[in-house]
């Protein structure tokens, strides 16, 4: 255990740059979780993540898990997928979900936003060709709707198509007859989602469990 | 216009003044004259033809008049946006109240129109609060619930306590001269003036459009702290009645307990009533007309029940509205939902108007005013200062816990937006004069605080927001991809939380959603409603319509049919994605739009591909909505219009339309005729003689396609000659063979032919056709097929021009399709063979 913590402090120092708002305690918490998931191994594999019971109901489970093993999310200009990831990589993926703070400057916010968008984009762009093609997008929508039951595959397809059309018509308003909209590029993606306030929404709370239950003990009445 | 309104208004003001003075005199002279008059009347002669019975109607008459005057005031105020842009409407209404009050005072020498607590709390407040609860953005509210509760509960208590204590301190220091107010009474006063008022806050914040988090903070706080302040008020009121000596620790603890019981009990009552409404609306299928009534009655009952149990009525009605909104919106018919929404707004807005006018009137009362500079100014100062301190301190604490901290600017706006309003005044009026000697001073001070906050702060709010560059709300609607992305987001956040092993906000929300989905929806929602309430679909549907609109608009911009056939991005899309995109998306729209002929749709659905039928079913709700709108529209436009034997069926319990066979037939024929008419005129518009040289290609193409489709339809429809529709058919891009290459080839082949030639046969069409329709109903079915596609004909392109600005897209489509055509009886020139030379322009052309 001891060695582990020393290692954590290494990690936290090396991750300080990318991780400026996550405190050492939070990293410790995450590390505990990491070990729990990996059965005290050094690395974590897909199977480990797929075993998480709470995840079973999540329609886009596959995409999320893929994102963890995606080399593009490691900021190292590599492509492809890991078979297993270590804690550092795990942390790196998690760092996409940190919230902005009061001290965050405009530029940092912008950078953060880009980074989060990139993560989201990568999640859609499975073949890593820089565009989300219709096929790829359809897949996501299908998965998204697959749990909804009442809605068929065809409908999902139609929705994806309509969404794609929408993107095309907003980004390339005057399309020549023979133009072909290849798919959503990152720039377009950014353009479309600029209303979503990504930087302040795409985050989770890295705290320990006690405070969480306290805060969320409220219900509707 | 404005002046006219003002004169009118003045007239009614004078009238009301007169009326009230009359009533007053009558009241003063009393029974005697009344009685003798009565006797006199009865003994004089037999039956009086007309009698003037003012006392008989006095109260309701005055109420109605007062409401009318308030509304007219609003009308005048809203007539000029230059003023309301600077001064908020609420402030103007209060000022109007001053004037009105002055007039009444001048006439009566006594203020007959004051706002009594009973009227305010029983008849004016509930609907405002219910509306607020009903239109509360639940998700936003619950995700900021913690902060809102902190502000509403702790903030209000802080305001009340600090204000009371400070005033008491100043009193002890001798700042106010000789006043008979004890510490408890100061606290009581503090508690009544502590709460930010939802009516005033909404009225001001509605006009500034701040970002949604800030809005929900201020809005949620103001709603909840009203409940809190009433509870506090009652507790302190009880303390005051008890007297300072008898208060010991036990009583204080009891007070605190009662505070929580009252607040949570009230919320619970509201919750129960909300569930009750949801359950009831599940089974109101057969009484759709009074369905919306349940919402109002039960909402009001929730309020009264809580009041009866001495729980917090305001919290009760807020939660009632919040709980039921989702289920009733899904359960009830779309029309009923609209009715509820609209009626809710009418009531809320109306009573808001009345409240502000009342607030203004109340000031003009000599008996009320007691001036104590120290007390009033100190109160004003403390109210503002403590509000700022409270907000900043609480936010400082909250920001330690909040993921997205509130910015300083937001805090300033929140503090500054602490407007006091009618609730404080109502509570002040409830004070017992026997127990609190300085009641009038308190009422005055409350009024001054209300005026100051609503008028001064209300006016300066907008410049402040602009000056501080507060983040405004994004006004754009969500696009489909954003919706999809939002869903992805939700799931992703939950998943990440799962992976990181934290029970977080998203986790709780997910669990709640799951529970809600599994149990509450099952119990409270109609099964049919549950199936199709996915929001994605709603947007998808809207998007379809939007696409259609832009498609049509584009066609109109290019001013021709050609564009539809050849070079459009959508068609391009179809080509590229080559998986019958059109069949999926477009027919859905068409099915929608053509559903106004729902009664005779048996044959119609065939041409709609199966996929879109599926969509159609899932989309039933939305479709039904537009269908209803469309049906009504169509019927208004066409049903027996201009006929003498206008048959109007009155039914109190049904709002539906006549469904007689004959009438349907009639409607159909009329529609067809009008469509033909408009189609032809559109044709003419497309091809006016002088533009011929400009667009030769287009014209030729039209001709060719026309000829071609003529043949086709003939073969399809076995002699039914309404080829115009098949023309529309091909134009819609529905039938791919028409707009693809072969067409162009034929067009090349036929190039150079002068093209007015095809006009006459268009004209001849209806005159040939109409008798046949009249005598033979079997021909209806094939034409319907054509009708499905009609919205895509150039006729609608043309007709859409003046209507495109209208907000309801479905509506404008229908209007485009169904022009009011009374003059189509005088039908076209005699039939001529298709190949005949160009005739003179048809006579009815200049109708358009």
């Amino acid at each position: 255990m001891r060695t582990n913590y020393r290692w954590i402090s290494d990690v936290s120092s090396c991750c300080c740059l990318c991780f400026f708002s996550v405190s050492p305690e939070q990293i410790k918490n995450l590390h505990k979780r990491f070990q729990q998931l990996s059965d005290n191994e050094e690395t974590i594999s897909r199977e480990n993540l797929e075993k998480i019971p709470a995840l079973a109901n999540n329609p886009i489970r596959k995409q999320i898990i893929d994102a963890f093993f995606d080399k593009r999310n490691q900021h190292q200009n590599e492509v492809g997928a890991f078979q297993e990831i270590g804690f550092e990589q795990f942390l790196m993926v998690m760092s996409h979900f940190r919230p902005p703070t009061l001290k965050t400057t405009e530029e940092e916010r912008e950078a953060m936003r880009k980074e989060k968008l990139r993560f989201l984009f990568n999640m859609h762009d499975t073949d890593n060709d820089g565009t989300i093609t219709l096929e790829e997008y359809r897949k996501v929508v299908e998965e998204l709707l697959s749990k909804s039951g009442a809605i068929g595959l065809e409908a999902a397809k139609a929705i994806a198509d309509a969404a794609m059309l929408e993107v095309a018509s907003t980004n390339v308003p005057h399309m020549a007859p023979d133009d072909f909209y290849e798919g959503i590029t990152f720039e377009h993606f950014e353009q479309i989602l600029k209303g979503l306030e990504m930087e302040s929404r795409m985050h989770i709370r890295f705290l320990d469990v006690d405070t969480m239950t306290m805060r969320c003990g409220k219900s509707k009445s | 216009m404005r002046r006219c309104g003002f004169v009118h208004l003045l007239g009614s003001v004078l009238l009301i003044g007169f009326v009230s003075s009359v009533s007053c005199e009558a009241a003063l002279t009393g029974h005697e004259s009344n009685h003798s008059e009565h006797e006199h009347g009865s003994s004089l002669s037999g039956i009086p033809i007309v009698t003037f019975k003012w006392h008989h109607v006095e109260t309701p008459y005055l109420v109605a008049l007062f409401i009318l005057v308030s509304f007219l005031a609003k009308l005048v105020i809203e007539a000029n946006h230059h003023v309301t842009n600077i001064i908020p409407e609420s402030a103007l209404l209060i000022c109007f109240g001053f004037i009105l009050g002055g007039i009444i005072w001048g006439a009566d020498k006594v203020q007959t129109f004051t706002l009594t607590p009973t009227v305010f709390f029983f008849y004016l407040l509930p609907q405002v609060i219910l509306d607020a609860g009903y239109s509360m953005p639940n998700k936003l509210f619950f995700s900021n619930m913690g902060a809102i509760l902190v502000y509403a509960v702790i903030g209000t208590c802080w305001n009340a306590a600090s204000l009371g204590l400070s005033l008491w301190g100043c009193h002890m220091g001798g700042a106010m001269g000789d006043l008979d107010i004890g510490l408890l009474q100061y606290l009581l006063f503090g508690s009544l003036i502590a709460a930010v008022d939802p009516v005033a806050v909404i009225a001001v914040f509605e006009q500034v459009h701040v970002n949604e988090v800030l809005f929900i903070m201020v809005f949620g706080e103001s709603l909840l702290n009203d409940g809190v302040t009433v509870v506090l008020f009652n507790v302190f009121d009880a303390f005051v009645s008890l007297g300072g000596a008898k208060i010991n620790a036990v009583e204080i603890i009891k007070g605190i307990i009662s505070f929580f019981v009252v607040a949570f009990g009230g919320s619970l009552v509201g919750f129960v009533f909300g569930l009750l409404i949801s359950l009831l609306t599940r089974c109101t299928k057969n009484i759709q007309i009074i369905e919306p009534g349940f919402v109002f009655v039960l909402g009001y009952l929730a309020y009264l029940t809580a009041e009866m149990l001495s729980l917090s009525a305001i919290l009760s009605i807020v939660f009632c509205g919040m709980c039921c909104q989702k289920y009733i919106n899904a359960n009830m018919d779309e029309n009923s939902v609209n009715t509820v929404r609209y009626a809710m707004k009418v009531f809320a807005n109306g009573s808001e108007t009345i409240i502000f006018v009342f607030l203004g009137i109340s000031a003009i009362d000599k008996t009320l005013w007691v001036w104590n500079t120290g007390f009033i100014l100190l109160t004003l100062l403390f109210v503002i200062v403590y509000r700022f301190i409270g907000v900043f301190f609480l936010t400082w604490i909250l920001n330690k816990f909040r993921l997205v901290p509130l910015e300083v600017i937001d805090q300033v706006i929140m503090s500054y937006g602490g407007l006091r309003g009618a609730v404080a005044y109502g509570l002040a009026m409830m004070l017992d004069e026997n127990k609190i000697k300085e009641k009038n001073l308190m009422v005055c001070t409350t009024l001054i605080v209300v005026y100051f906050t609503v008028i001064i702060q209300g006016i300066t709010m907008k410049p402040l927001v602009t000056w501080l560059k507060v983040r405004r709300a994004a006004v754009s609607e969500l696009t489909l991809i954003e919706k999809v992305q939002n869903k992805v987001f939700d799931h992703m956040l939950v998943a990440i939380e799962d992976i990181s092993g934290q029970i977080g906000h998203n986790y709780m929300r997910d669990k709640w959603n799951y529970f809600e989905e599994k149990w509450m929806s099952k119990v409270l929602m109609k099964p049919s409603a549950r199936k199709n309430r996915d929001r994605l679909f709603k947007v998808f549907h809207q998007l379809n319509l939007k696409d259609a609109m832009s498609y049509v608009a584009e066609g109109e911009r290019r001013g021709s049919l050609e564009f539809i056939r050849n070079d459009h991005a959508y068609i391009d899309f179809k080509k590229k994605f080559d998986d019958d995109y059109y069949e999926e998306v477009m027919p859905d729209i068409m099915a929608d739009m053509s559903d106004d002929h729902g009664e005779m749709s048996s044959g119609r659905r065939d041409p709609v591909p199966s996929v879109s039928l599926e969509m159609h079913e899932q989309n039933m709700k939305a479709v039904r909505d537009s269908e209803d709108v469309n049906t009504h529209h169509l019927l208004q436009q066409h049903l027996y219009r201009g006929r003498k034997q206008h048959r109007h069926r009155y039914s109190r319990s049904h709002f539906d339309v006549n469904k007689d066979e004959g009438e349907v037939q009639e409607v159909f024929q009329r529609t067809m005729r009008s469509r033909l008419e408009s189609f032809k005129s559109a044709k003419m518009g497309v091809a006016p003689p002088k533009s011929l040289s400009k667009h030769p290609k287009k014209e030729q193409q039209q001709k060719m396609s026309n000829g071609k489709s003529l043949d086709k339809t003939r073969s399809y429809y076995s002699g039914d000659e309404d080829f115009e529709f098949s023309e529309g058919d091909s134009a819609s891009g529905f039938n791919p063979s028409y707009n693809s290459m072969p067409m162009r080839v034929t067009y090349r082949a036929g190039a150079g032919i002068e093209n007015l030639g095809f006009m006459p046969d268009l004209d001849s069409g209806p005159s040939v056709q109409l008798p046949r329709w009249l005598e033979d109903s079997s021909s209806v079915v094939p034409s319907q097929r054509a009708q499905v596609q009609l919205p895509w004909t150039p006729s609608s392109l043309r007709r859409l021009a003046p209507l495109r600005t209208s907000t309801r897209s479905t509506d404008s489509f229908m209007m485009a399709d169904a022009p009011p055509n009374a003059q189509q009886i005088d039908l076209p020139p005699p039939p001529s063979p298709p190949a005949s030379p160009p005739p003179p322009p048809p006579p009815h052309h200049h109708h358009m």
Side-chain angles (χ1 to χ4, degrees), chain B residues 395-679:
Chain B
T395 321
W396 180 71
I397 294 177
L398 281 172
N399 272 351
K400 291 184 176 280
F401 296 99
R402 280 181 71 83
L403 272 185
V404 188
L406 288 169
E407 288 162 33
V408 181
I409 292 172
D410 287 358
Q411 295 173 37
V412 172
I413 296 297
M414 272 185 71
S415 320
Y416 201 70
L419 309 180
R420 274 29 173 213
V423 172
Y425 175 74
L427 287 176
M429 291 297 282
M430 268 167 70
L431 290 173
D432 187 352
E433 221 158 341
N434 300 322
K435 281 186 274 178
I436 295 151
K437 300 285 180 304
E438 304 287 351
K439 177 188 171 185
N440 277 353
L441 178 60
M442 290 187 180
V443 175
C444 287
T445 313
T446 311
L447 276 177
I448 300 257
V449 171
V450 170
Y451 296 151
F452 182 84
T453 52
V454 172
I455 299 179
I456 308 286
Q457 292 189 3
I459 291 173
T460 46
M461 179 63 90
K462 207 170 189 177
L464 190 71
V465 167
T466 327
W467 182 61
L468 288 176
K469 300 199 183 64
V470 177
R471 273 191 308 131
R472 301 294 187 99
V475 276
S476 66
E477 56 189 300
L478 281 183
T479 53
L480 184 63
I481 193 162
E482 279 174 305
K483 284 263 179 185
V484 171
Q485 227 43 260
N486 271 339
K487 280 218 153 178
V488 171
F489 243 60
D490 289 349
H491 288 304
M492 187 169 66
L493 292 182
V494 174
I496 295 292
E497 261 180 9
D498 287 342
I499 289 176
S500 66
Q502 324 230 356
I503 301 175
H505 213 79
N506 296 302
Y507 176 83
M508 290 307 287
R509 192 163 68 209
D510 199 48
K511 280 281 168 281
W512 165 255
N513 282 344
Y514 184 70
F515 169 77
E516 208 257 17
E517 192 77 19
K518 187 145 190 206
W519 298 106
M520 294 185 60
S521 295
K522 199 176 234 166
V523 179
L524 300 175
M525 223 182 257
K526 282 186 202 170
S528 59
R530 225 174 331 146
K531 225 189 296 170
N532 50 35
R533 93 203 131 84
D534 198 304
R535 259 175 301 156
L536 268 183
F537 273 101
K538 234 179 261 166
V539 181
F540 179 52
H541 186 77
Q542 282 163 6
L543 202 84
N544 275 346
L545 283 173
K546 206 172 75 187
D547 275 354
M549 288 296 283
S550 62
Y551 184 78
V552 168
E554 179 75 3
E556 193 180 71
R557 191 175 65 77
R558 304 209 189 168
S560 80
L561 211 78
E562 168 201 42
F563 127 85
I564 297 172
R565 300 238 175 79
N566 289 326
D567 51 359
H568 191 261
Y570 293 165
I571 293 176
D572 181 55
F573 248 92
K574 183 191 158 222
K575 249 189 299 188
K576 299 300 177 195
F577 294 144
D578 71 10
D579 45 13
D580 46 29
Y581 171 80
Y582 262 76
E583 271 74 354
E584 277 172 24
V585 180
M586 296 309 179
D588 184 40
I589 304 166
M590 293 177 176
D592 252 23
M593 293 188 303
S594 56
D595 256 341
D596 51 339
H597 311 290
E599 304 96 297
M600 17 173 210
S601 64
S602 55
R604 178 190 60 79
R605 297 207 174 177
D606 297 340
V608 181
S610 60
V611 178
S612 85
L613 267 184
E614 252 179 62
M615 283 297 302
H616 183 85
E617 271 158 20
Q618 278 149 2
N619 240 338
M620 202 61 90
K621 192 100 189 169
V623 172
R624 207 191 314 139
D625 173 30
S626 60
E627 190 180 303
D628 280 358
V629 169
N630 295 346
T631 317
H632 281 293
H633 208 91
L634 184 84
L635 288 169
Q636 270 167 13
Q637 294 276 333
H638 290 264
L639 189 62
Y640 286 169
R641 209 156 161 250
R643 291 242 169 159
K644 287 276 159 58
Q645 60 270 54
H646 178 94
R647 185 147 42 113
H648 187 79
R649 282 191 197 154
Y650 175 77
S651 161
R652 209 186 286 281
S653 59
H654 290 290
F655 198 50
D656 58 5
V657 290
N658 294 333
K659 286 192 172 120
D660 278 7
E661 267 313 299
E663 286 180 34
V664 169
Q665 200 70 14
E666 166 98 19
V667 172
F668 175 68
Q669 282 155 14
R670 276 168 171 260
T671 324
M672 281 324 243
R673 255 182 266 162
S674 79
R675 281 182 181 201
L676 275 174
E677 183 81 6
S678 59
F679 183 71

Side-chain angles (χ1 to χ4, degrees), chain B residues 314-385:
Chain B
I314 296 178
L315 289 179
S316 167
I317 201 166
V318 168
F319 278 97
C320 177
M322 279 168 62
C323 291
C324 69
Q325 53 165 263
K326 177 177 174 186
Y327 304 109
I328 59 174
N329 285 356
N331 279 347
M332 290 196 308
D333 184 72
E334 198 74 21
N335 279 338
S336 305
V337 173
N338 280 339
T339 312
V340 168
R341 281 200 189 125
Y342 217 91
M344 204 80 101
K345 290 281 174 239
V346 171
F347 286 133
N349 208 323
S351 88
E352 183 192 294
T353 310
I354 295 167
I355 287 171
F356 281 122
V357 174
F358 257 136
L359 276 180
I361 293 180
S362 305
I364 315 296
D365 187 356
K366 234 188 243 167
T367 57
L368 187 77
W369 285 102
V370 184
W371 189 265
N372 182 321
T373 318
F375 187 82
I376 292 174
L377 289 186
L378 279 174
T379 307
L380 203 55
L381 179 74
F382 286 144
V383 160
I384 296 169
V385 169

Side-chain angles (χ1 to χ4, degrees), chain A residues 183-200:
Chain A
I184 309 169
T185 61
F186 184 66
E187 285 70 37
H188 288 174
F189 195 67
E190 208 178 344
Q191 183 69 25
I192 297 153
L193 297 184
K194 68 168 179 255
L196 273 185
E197 306 219 333
M198 192 74 61
E199 69 278 5
S200 55

